[in-house]
Amino acid sequence: MHAWETIERSLDFIEAHLEEEVTIETMADMAALSPFYFQRLFKRLVHKPVQEYIKLRRLAKAAGALQATSRRILDVALDHGFSSHANFTRAFKETYGITPEEYRKKLPMLNTFDRPEISMSYVLIGEGVPLVINDIVLEIDRKILTAPELYIGLEAEISILEQTPIGEATSIDMPGQLWRQYHVEKATVAPGINSEIELGMSYSANSENGTFLYFVGGPAERLSNHIWKDAVQRELPAGEYIVCKIEAENFEKLVTTALNQAGKYLFGTWLPHHNLTTHPFSAEKYYHTLDVAYMEIWVAPLPILID
């Protein structure tokens, strides 16, 4: 068994026992490793210490429970492995910047910590070859956009530190909040905007401020009549792109787990193995008329210069 397979089994065990006490000694015995070497291997592959990872996965599950049920916060805390209301509140606020009470009242969108798919880092697919892992389908191709596409929507300045890397930062999901605002305003102010395709675009990083610009919107005709207060028009430029196509079993999984795992695979595995980096820009295109939950990540490639 490969080392990464050992840790994958540990992640499966943790997911199945999040509501119980999970000890390092138990998992080390399962892996036939000493606790010392098990913890070193786990941190190397998961990029988190074991106990911190367990806490973050418990908090992710608890956040879902706070949103989905009306049970007391203490009950939610106890159900998800926390010993008291105070310990749960402290961990929740340290991780997300708000208390469980504030979250339940306002229900902002959160970046929660995903269970990683370690095996994806050890599988390299060619262009046009699908990769299937846990009901997620990925396929990567090159595409030439011969003419720019125009979109209308909303834009905000986002903190880089709080939003990246996708699926690992834990905070309020500010791009998600912008999407929520866009859908409300589009429905009430500009219902004529095409909803079949939607675009999220990250660009113009500012290293001094530690921010980037994030745009969300739908297709628009040039000089669109649908401009409303705070709305802006932006282009997806013409040019060459690497396009990562993503399918999932439902839209919720598509825009959370599938998007996070695909982003890690594209930027952390596929592009480096093809000696490629990208312009400081990426786009997410969502297609709402297909019979599957489907989206694409678009990046503009650059070769890695090797001295």
Side-chain angles (χ1 to χ4, degrees):
M1 180 181 295
H2 296 292
W4 63 264
E5 292 177 297
T6 298
I7 300 304
E8 282 274 20
R9 290 180 60 190
S10 299
L11 296 179
D12 290 338
F13 180 82
I14 290 170
E15 288 296 303
H17 297 84
L18 279 174
E19 299 175 3
E20 308 164 23
E21 182 181 2
V22 180
T23 68
I24 291 172
E25 288 74 18
T26 297
M27 290 185 290
D29 285 344
M30 291 171 53
L33 294 170
S34 71
F36 174 78
Y37 281 109
F38 172 77
Q39 290 180 88
R40 288 190 64 183
L41 182 61
F42 189 99
K43 186 174 181 181
R44 177 181 173 186
L45 297 183
V46 181
H47 309 298
K48 295 286 183 185
V50 179
Q51 293 300 340
E52 183 182 357
Y53 173 81
I54 293 172
K55 180 191 75 172
L56 291 174
R57 290 300 299 140
R58 285 174 171 165
L59 287 170
K61 297 288 187 180
L66 288 172
Q67 181 176 349
T69 73
S70 58
R71 301 192 69 205
R72 295 185 308 161
I73 290 175
L74 174 59
D75 293 331
V76 172
L78 296 176
D79 286 348
H80 291 84
F82 294 90
S83 60
S84 68
H85 188 297
N87 287 341
F88 177 56
T89 297
R90 185 182 307 112
F92 198 95
K93 186 167 185 179
E94 287 175 353
T95 300
Y96 300 120
I98 57 175
T99 66
E101 289 83 359
E102 291 169 334
Y103 173 68
R104 174 168 272 177
K105 182 178 180 180
K106 300 177 182 178
L107 289 180
M109 300 184 72
L110 296 179
N111 285 323
T112 57
F113 195 90
D114 288 343
R115 179 205 184 283
E117 294 292 345
I118 298 175
S119 61
M120 294 178 70
S121 299
Y122 299 91
V123 178
L124 189 62
I125 56 173
E127 294 178 24
V129 178
L131 170 64
V132 183
I133 294 183
N134 284 348
D135 298 322
I136 299 171
V137 182
L138 305 182
E139 186 175 323
I140 298 176
D141 278 314
R142 295 177 188 262
K143 182 179 179 67
I144 301 294
L145 191 64
T146 57
E149 297 177 351
L150 184 67
Y151 293 83
I152 182 172
L154 299 175
E155 186 173 86
E157 192 172 38
I158 305 295
S159 167
I160 295 172
L161 182 62
E162 292 181 356
Q163 302 301 317
T164 56
I166 294 173
E168 295 183 11
T170 51
S171 60
I172 302 296
D173 179 4
M174 297 310 297
Q177 293 288 90
L178 189 64
W179 273 112
R180 180 178 289 178
Q181 179 187 350
Y182 166 72
H183 286 136
V184 169
E185 295 195 15
K186 186 183 79 69
T188 57
V189 181
I193 294 178
N194 187 336
S195 296
E196 294 182 356
I197 299 176
E198 292 181 324
L199 182 81
M201 188 163 62
S202 305
Y203 61 103
S204 294
N206 186 320
S207 58
E208 290 187 5
N209 294 339
T211 60
F212 65 94
L213 292 179
Y214 188 73
F215 168 86
V216 303
E221 299 295 333
R222 191 166 296 278
L223 301 177
S224 171
N225 294 324
H226 297 299
I227 286 288
W228 70 95
K229 183 181 178 181
D230 298 328
V232 296
Q233 288 187 331
R234 294 290 181 258
E235 286 186 345
L236 179 63
E240 180 188 11
Y241 291 91
I242 300 293
V243 178
C244 180
K245 306 171 185 179
I246 313 166
E247 292 183 19
E249 57 186 343
N250 56 58
F251 188 75
E252 181 180 0
K253 185 170 185 177
L254 178 72
V255 299
T256 54
T257 306
L259 174 58
N260 291 340
Q261 299 295 350
K264 292 174 185 176
Y265 181 74
L266 176 64
F267 292 102
T269 299
W270 199 90
L271 288 169
H273 275 82
H274 287 79
N275 292 319
L276 293 172
T277 183
T278 67
H279 289 277
F281 157 93
S282 67
E284 308 150 16
K285 293 183 75 170
Y286 300 87
Y287 296 80
H288 298 294
T289 59
L290 304 179
D291 57 359
V292 295
Y294 175 81
M295 66 170 293
E296 297 169 346
I297 302 174
W298 289 47
V299 295
L302 282 171
I304 296 176
L305 301 178
I306 301 176
D307 295 330

